[in-house]
Amino acid sequence: MKKILIAFVVLSLLVSVSACSINNKTLAITLYYTNEDNSQILTETRKIKAAQGQSIPRLALEELLKGPQTKGLKSTIPEGTKLLNVEVKDKIATVNLSKDFANFPGMMAESLAVISVVNTVTDLEGIEKAHILIDGKEFTAPSGNPYGPLESYDIKQINQDISNKKETITLYFPDEQGMYVVPEQREVVKSEPLEVIVIKELMRGPETPGLASPAIPKEAKLLSVQVKDEIAYVNFSKELIEKHIGGSTGEMMTIIPIVNSLTELPGIKKVQFLVEGNKEQTLAGHVIFDEPFERYEEWIKR
């Protein structure tokens, strides 16, 4: 009788272990991200554990929203985006995201985010298309038309198209003493107007050792850049003035890097600074700031 009892206990344990292994299976999923400068769409394979009855598409998208674990990859999903729901019917995954998903800085960023979601979902077994909703409503493209159900994107072709959009720009950064500016060439993807990219890249800072960032307060935001009659109108938020370090040198190391970098572009000969859409008499009390600036050749370090 004791032998029978022991055998029964062992058999029960084996069945229990077997049930756990069935109910908690490990899956390898493919997540879609980009490299640091958005010039390539790259993938990351991640293992996840799924209990019986759990939605694999939900688990995959939740992992996508967490961001990459691989160094050199960057998430395309706007910060704060939440996954509200995922439903799969007739091989179409309807993905309902929070309104934060629609906060894109440009068309290129939107395209990359859509590709990340669509390809992450359509890589899963039994799903052929992804239909993105925002707070339960149709997600519309920049054209104004709904995206609708989307099939998987050809990543190889897209990466080739992105590569064809690369441009080389010349940026000017202050030297360590703040006496001159030094040119630095940088390859960028033309995802938005080059004059906008130039300012954003300047605000990112130099890649060359021994150079400094322009004296643009980190709190300042670029609101817009518009070119008219060969003048670039660069519009910053009020923090450009309110948080400025001050001093005549500090003012010049805000103005010159921007002016010289923008006048490298064809069709721009002068730069007019605006703050919240208005001309200001001075930046920080020294340099006249309400007139267009021409290029400063004499400040370039030879």
Side-chain angles (χ1 to χ4, degrees):
M1 184 68 181
K2 184 182 284 188
K3 289 182 178 179
I4 294 173
L5 182 60
I6 292 172
F8 178 75
V9 171
V10 171
L11 181 60
S12 297
L13 287 171
L14 289 173
V15 171
S16 176
V17 170
S18 176
C20 286
S21 63
I22 292 172
N23 292 340
N24 293 279
K25 56 182 178 180
T26 300
L27 300 171
I29 58 173
T30 303
L31 307 176
Y32 286 77
Y33 298 108
T34 65
N35 57 357
E36 291 292 346
D37 65 355
N38 292 332
S39 62
Q40 273 194 313
I41 299 171
L42 302 172
T43 60
E44 177 183 288
T45 301
R46 192 175 301 177
K47 290 184 178 180
I48 59 170
K49 288 185 178 180
Q52 189 174 21
Q54 276 191 300
S55 167
I56 305 302
R58 171 176 281 278
L59 291 174
L61 287 168
E62 286 174 348
E63 290 298 316
L64 178 70
L65 265 57
K66 289 178 184 177
Q69 297 175 351
T70 306
K71 187 177 180 181
L73 296 189
K74 185 176 72 172
S75 176
T76 63
I77 309 299
E79 190 175 349
T81 300
K82 295 177 179 62
L83 177 63
L84 303 180
N85 192 29
V86 186
E87 291 183 357
V88 180
K89 185 179 180 181
D90 298 330
K91 297 184 178 181
I92 299 175
T94 301
V95 181
N96 190 13
L97 299 168
S98 65
K99 61 183 179 181
D100 305 277
F101 185 74
N103 295 332
F104 297 106
M107 290 174 58
M108 182 73 167
E110 179 172 329
S111 297
L112 293 174
V114 169
I115 292 167
S116 291
V117 171
V118 171
N119 278 36
T120 294
V121 173
T122 54
D123 264 6
L124 301 174
E125 187 177 353
I127 299 177
E128 294 180 356
K129 294 182 180 180
H131 187 188
I132 301 175
L133 305 179
I134 304 293
D135 275 344
K137 298 179 181 178
E138 286 283 352
F139 181 40
T140 56
S143 63
N145 298 319
Y147 277 102
L150 300 167
E151 295 180 343
S152 180
Y153 289 88
D154 184 343
I155 299 305
K156 186 176 180 180
Q157 182 60 53
I158 289 172
N159 282 341
Q160 182 62 47
D161 291 342
I162 294 173
S163 179
N164 292 337
K165 291 181 179 179
K166 286 185 177 180
E167 296 265 0
T168 299
I169 58 175
T170 301
L171 306 173
Y172 288 83
F173 292 100
D175 62 10
E176 287 182 321
Q177 291 75 37
M179 299 293 292
Y180 297 96
V181 291
V182 180
E184 176 186 285
Q185 289 197 324
R186 188 172 297 181
E187 191 175 60
V188 297
V189 177
K190 193 178 178 182
S191 55
E192 50 191 328
L194 276 180
E195 55 269 20
V196 174
I197 294 174
V198 164
I199 304 299
K200 288 183 176 180
E201 291 297 315
L202 281 172
M203 294 173 76
R204 278 181 57 198
E207 295 175 351
T208 306
L211 299 184
S213 294
I216 303 172
K218 62 181 181 180
E219 298 89 352
K221 295 179 178 63
L222 177 65
L223 301 180
S224 64
V225 184
Q226 295 182 336
V227 180
K228 184 178 179 181
D229 298 330
E230 297 186 323
I231 300 175
Y233 293 84
V234 183
N235 188 19
F236 280 100
S237 65
K238 60 184 179 180
E239 287 81 10
L240 181 71
I241 289 178
E242 293 179 354
K243 302 292 184 179
H244 199 274
I245 59 173
S248 57
T249 300
E251 290 180 57
M252 295 306 290
M253 286 303 120
T254 301
I255 295 166
I256 295 172
I258 292 174
V259 171
N260 279 22
S261 298
L262 283 174
T263 52
E264 283 281 345
L265 300 178
I268 299 178
K269 291 185 177 179
K270 295 181 181 181
V271 175
Q272 172 68 65
F273 289 92
L274 302 173
V275 178
E276 305 280 352
N278 300 311
K279 294 180 181 180
E280 295 290 336
Q281 187 173 355
T282 181
L283 176 55
H286 298 87
V287 181
I288 295 174
F289 202 56
D290 60 357
E291 298 176 358
F293 291 91
E294 294 183 346
R295 186 177 177 84
Y296 291 86
E297 287 289 340
E298 69 278 11
W299 284 71
I300 301 173
K301 196 169 189 176
R302 302 300 177 186

